[in-house]
Amino acid sequence: MSDNNRILSGMRPTGPLHLGHYFGVIANWLKLQEEYNCFFFVADWHALTSEYADPTKIKGFVPGLVKDWVASGLDPEKCTIFQQSMVKEHAELHLLFSMTTPLGWLERCPTYKEQKTQLAEKKLNTYGFLGYPVLQAADILLYKPCAVPVGKDQLPHLELTREIGRRFNHLNKTELFPEPADMLTEECKLPGLDGRKMSKSYGNSIQLSEPIEEIMPKLRSMKTDESRLRKSDPGDPAVCNLYPYHKLMTDPAKLPEIQEGCKNATWGCVDCKKVLMESMEAFLTPFHERRNACTDERVAEILDAGNKKAREFAIKTMDEVRGVLNFDF
Ligand code: TRP
């Protein structure tokens, strides 16, 4: 289908987004919304797989996620922003796919096997968690996208999605579901404050919505090139934890000076951090302004419009699915 330039991706609403999400996922979505017919959705049912014991949190995280997206520059005029649980067709297709998906496919899924060792502690020994990729396959195939932009960790789920679609097509002698391609998102080049991957659970992240005053002390205590003990020691931006931040947030024209200053020890880490603080403020201030302007009412408007568009598409696909299955009563 050459006229198909639809892509779809989703995020679970599990808390405020941080800089790692921005540079790892959202920056890519911003480019895609200019070129593709994009559907981006809040995977709130998926969040229940881990948060089922305390679902009240999800209710606040859903509008929070939409605000983070809009403040980052996702434009509801250019892409369709919607909420999974408001399009019930996801649940119906999930149920139908669950009938045809062999257990072995799910038990062999790397994300399931990995988590299985932590099952007891995380209480993920549920039917819903095992079936997570089946729900994801329904999310995706409902919209028959040409591709799904995701990180490396999600590739097994996409492979399963294609297998589930292929099996449906084969069993029902149809070509209803096209095979969506992988569209691999480059890995985030931004480490956390301690040099490990930026992650909420490591406590080494900077949230996009965090007040500037709270970020500054974090930057001050941030790790730099560890072999540089005194200011007079030359440093190496290539191994410094701070330099990747400059590369992403500081005016490129200033980078040579920063590099030189570090390498010949005319700049100390404190000087370098001062410049980063300015860059960070310049980067986050417009985000904060847009986020404050995005009221709960605006979020409701965006989701109402997006849910309606998504639903129209999903209803059409489900009519076709029911027809193929002889369930068009
Ligand atoms: N599993 C994805 C994640 O944890 C979220 C997700 C759910 C998703 N359904 C999707 C992503 C469909 C892409 C397409 O990040």
Side-chain angles (χ1 to χ4, degrees):
M1 256 191 283
S2 54
D3 64 333
N4 179 3
N5 76 335
R6 243 180 341 278
I7 62 170
L8 169 127
S9 198
M11 272 172 108
R12 287 177 302 138
T14 53
L17 297 187
H18 54 61
L19 286 170
H21 294 120
Y22 180 87
F23 289 107
V25 183
I26 307 293
N28 186 43
W29 286 11
L30 294 181
K31 279 190 248 151
L32 293 170
Q33 74 174 347
E34 305 296 334
E35 292 169 42
Y36 291 86
N37 179 9
C38 294
F39 285 71
F40 296 126
F41 75 100
V42 181
D44 54 348
W45 273 333
H46 272 102
L48 271 181
T49 50
S50 54
E51 308 302 319
Y52 61 86
D54 187 10
T56 45
K57 275 196 266 169
I58 299 175
K59 189 153 198 177
F61 289 154
V62 171
L65 184 57
V66 174
K67 287 180 190 183
D68 280 348
W69 285 354
V70 171
S72 298
L74 277 194
D75 181 351
E77 300 295 319
K78 292 181 181 163
C79 58
T80 304
I81 294 175
F82 73 98
Q83 183 180 351
Q84 181 186 35
S85 71
M86 292 304 284
V87 184
K88 312 296 179 195
E89 284 71 18
H90 288 244
E92 184 178 356
L93 190 57
H94 166 252
L95 176 126
L96 295 175
F97 282 160
S98 77
M99 303 299 166
T100 53
T101 307
L103 271 180
W105 289 6
L106 300 174
E107 286 161 345
R108 276 196 300 275
C109 184
T111 48
Y112 179 73
K113 280 200 297 197
E114 248 166 56
Q115 303 270 9
K116 224 176 141 183
T117 44
Q118 307 164 26
L119 282 187
E121 173 206 333
K122 284 202 176 174
K123 303 203 173 56
L124 288 174
N125 51 341
T126 57
Y127 176 54
F129 184 66
L130 179 69
Y132 186 109
V134 184
L135 181 57
Q136 186 161 348
D139 297 337
I140 296 170
L141 293 175
L142 260 183
Y143 302 93
K144 304 182 187 175
C146 65
V148 182
V150 283
K152 209 168 65 207
D153 63 311
Q154 294 294 313
L155 291 182
H157 292 167
L158 267 186
E159 190 52 44
L160 262 170
T161 295
R162 286 187 289 266
E163 273 167 328
I164 289 171
R166 225 177 277 146
R167 189 168 166 95
F168 180 96
N169 286 353
H170 173 75
L171 287 170
N172 299 293
K173 299 181 186 53
T174 172
E175 288 181 7
L176 206 160
F177 292 118
E179 292 196 12
D182 299 336
M183 188 184 257
L184 194 59
T185 312
E186 245 184 85
E187 252 173 271
C188 181
K189 303 233 170 50
L190 194 73
L193 294 168
D194 58 0
R196 292 184 293 172
K197 185 182 167 171
M198 190 179 280
S199 157
K200 187 175 64 174
S201 52
Y202 290 157
N204 64 358
S205 61
I206 296 174
Q207 287 168 15
L208 293 166
S209 51
E210 213 164 308
I212 305 284
E213 313 79 73
E214 285 174 31
I215 297 176
M216 295 314 175
K218 287 188 174 180
L219 291 191
R220 257 176 237 125
S221 60
M222 192 172 156
K223 259 198 200 166
T224 51
D225 178 355
E226 285 179 294
S227 58
R228 191 177 184 191
L229 299 174
R230 284 170 296 267
K231 189 181 166 184
S232 55
D233 297 336
D236 184 3
V239 298
C240 180
N241 187 39
L242 198 104
Y243 193 66
Y245 285 73
H246 279 303
K247 279 214 294 214
L248 292 168
M249 273 179 266
T250 299
D251 175 3
K254 288 192 191 152
L255 294 183
E257 189 191 349
I258 295 173
Q259 287 222 23
E260 287 313 305
C262 177
K263 283 188 200 159
N264 54 36
T266 51
W267 276 49
C269 295
V270 176
D271 303 312
C272 200
K273 284 179 176 178
K274 272 193 199 136
V275 176
L276 180 60
M277 285 185 202
E278 286 165 20
S279 312
M280 188 85 78
E281 193 167 352
F283 175 81
L284 288 177
T285 302
F287 175 94
H288 289 166
E289 285 167 4
R290 283 195 298 260
R291 200 179 194 282
N292 289 335
C294 188
T295 57
D296 288 334
E297 292 73 36
R298 178 72 188 124
V299 170
E301 247 172 50
I302 292 170
L303 285 177
D304 279 348
N307 292 339
K308 189 162 167 273
K309 263 178 81 181
R311 209 175 282 131
E312 272 167 23
F313 204 103
I315 284 173
K316 261 206 322 229
T317 304
M318 283 317 295
D319 277 344
E320 293 170 353
V321 168
R322 288 188 216 102
V324 161
L325 287 176
N326 283 298
F327 261 70
D328 46 348
F329 296 107

